[in-house]
Amino acid sequence: MFSVVDTLSLPAEDRFDWWCETVARGAAPTRISSDHAADFVGRVEMLSVGPLEATSISFPALTSERTPALIKRSDPETYELTLIAGGAMSVAQARREAVLSVGDFVMWSSSRPYTGQGRSSADSGPSRGIVLHLPRRLLPFPQSRVEQVLATRMPASGGIGAILAHHLQTLFQEGPALGEPEGARLGSATMHLAHALLAQQIDAREYVEPEVRATVLLARIEAFIEENLADPQLSPHSVAARHHVSVRTVHQVFRQRHESVSAMIRRRRLERCRSDLADPRLRHLPVHAVAARNGLGDPAGFSRGFRRAFGLPPAEYRRMLREGTTGARPGR
């Protein structure tokens, strides 16, 4: 289930009240104030996939407070794990305060009072975030350990944090178009990655289930493949060696994808080549050089593979794009 509402579709005098009501339904009731209340410009995208509820949110500068009275009135008993995707924010809870910028994660609890601020400026634009609503009862960790990281900055510059951040961006790009079975699998994978991030932050890997470990290993392998497509030696064996597991283990975790490791490497190399061939900045490169820069050193094999994947040889594909004609199947 996917829904999106932009305040610009509403009369200016109704926008801020609508925003406050939407936030209360999507997360938990809060008291919101903003200097932009008279003409509030915000956007909310809500996505439900499998066990996961997620929200992508964009808004101008504001202050949000969850008070003891509001908690007593209604408490969904969730942890709100949030990726800062634009602007700057701060969150104060449990006698801690986190000052956050793009690329940071932060989490707060709906069961404790907190204050959040979104800061926007002409340079940074509106505050934007992607929020995972994690039911407290579904987390495998002791509550006392989880609450150690409330209102604590969790950088997403590398490791599992970077993988989860990229995954969340993709979630809102691709999730709305997926069918129910695919959406359920995507929701479970997202939940597993969130659990892995929290396990790392609270040093509680012993609570992570084998299924979660397999999902995280798959995500790490996929990220490694994306970063090393140009390496002609990239293979299931090199992937296994880099992650200190057996080749058999690599093939096992890829069963989740219904695509072999080698097939993924081949597909992504061809897709990169297709993108490069369409890039005007690379028009000086011969077709075989485009293939080589993406790890495909056999020109004849590349041409055959490209034609099978996209319906015509790479040189003809590039020519058709330059001439502005159609007939290729770039989306295949």
Side-chain angles (χ1 to χ4, degrees), residues 76-147:
E77 297 186 346
T78 58
Y79 291 110
E80 307 296 308
L81 180 62
T82 302
L83 171 68
I84 312 304
M89 301 184 199
S90 65
V91 174
Q93 188 175 62
R95 298 182 180 179
R96 288 186 292 270
E97 182 175 9
V99 179
L100 310 151
S101 57
V102 174
D104 289 337
F105 279 101
V106 68
M107 189 170 72
W108 63 90
S109 169
S110 68
S111 303
R112 285 173 170 254
Y114 70 79
T115 300
Q117 288 188 319
R119 302 163 185 169
S120 59
S121 68
D123 294 331
S124 64
S127 294
R128 293 186 293 113
I130 298 177
V131 186
L132 298 183
H133 311 291
L134 304 176
R136 192 168 65 198
R137 60 183 174 79
L138 295 184
L139 288 186
F141 315 111
Q143 184 176 340
S144 59
R145 300 275 287 274
V146 174
E147 304 227 335

Side-chain angles (χ1 to χ4, degrees), residues 114-316:
Y114 70 79
T115 300
Q117 288 188 319
R119 302 163 185 169
S120 59
S121 68
D123 294 331
S124 64
S127 294
R128 293 186 293 113
I130 298 177
V131 186
L132 298 183
H133 311 291
L134 304 176
R136 192 168 65 198
R137 60 183 174 79
L138 295 184
L139 288 186
F141 315 111
Q143 184 176 340
S144 59
R145 300 275 287 274
V146 174
E147 304 227 335
Q148 293 173 7
V149 295
L150 297 179
T152 299
R153 175 177 172 266
M154 295 181 271
S157 55
I160 189 63
I163 290 173
L164 178 57
H166 176 75
H167 181 86
L168 291 178
Q169 302 283 358
T170 304
L171 179 71
F172 275 89
Q173 293 171 3
E174 306 295 339
L178 296 178
E180 186 173 342
E182 296 85 357
R185 286 194 292 269
L186 183 60
S188 294
T190 307
M191 192 77 76
H192 291 167
L193 292 174
H195 287 182
L197 175 65
L198 293 177
Q200 180 185 72
Q201 293 295 319
I202 64 178
D203 194 20
R205 293 174 180 84
E206 68 272 20
Y207 293 94
V208 174
E209 299 176 356
E211 185 180 5
V212 175
R213 294 192 183 100
T215 299
V216 172
L217 176 59
L218 176 61
R220 290 186 184 278
I221 288 173
E222 290 178 330
F224 175 76
I225 288 173
E226 287 294 322
E227 293 170 1
N228 292 274
L229 287 172
D231 181 1
Q233 303 304 315
L234 183 65
S235 69
H237 287 83
S238 66
V239 168
R242 174 63 178 80
H243 292 85
H244 310 290
V245 297
S246 67
V247 174
R248 181 172 179 270
T249 297
V250 172
H251 288 308
Q252 283 179 331
V253 298
F254 256 75
R255 289 176 184 171
Q256 301 178 45
R257 286 292 307 263
H258 305 290
E259 179 182 45
S260 70
V261 190
S262 297
M264 179 188 175
I265 293 172
R266 182 169 56 252
R267 173 178 59 80
R268 288 297 298 128
R269 280 174 167 164
L270 289 172
E271 289 171 349
R272 285 271 189 92
C273 289
R274 178 185 60 182
S275 177
D276 287 353
L277 290 170
D279 189 341
R281 296 169 299 181
L282 300 177
R283 65 178 57 182
H284 64 285
L285 291 179
V287 168
H288 68 84
V290 169
R293 79 194 299 264
N294 289 292
L296 296 169
D298 175 12
F302 164 61
S303 184
R304 288 193 299 270
F306 192 95
R307 182 166 190 159
R308 282 195 301 270
F310 306 118
L312 70 172
E316 186 177 346

Side-chain angles (χ1 to χ4, degrees), residues 50-70:
L52 183 74
E53 301 286 339
T55 304
S56 177
I57 192 167
S58 173
F59 52 89
L62 58 73
T63 297
S64 176
E65 299 175 273
R66 183 150 167 79
T67 65
L70 290 173

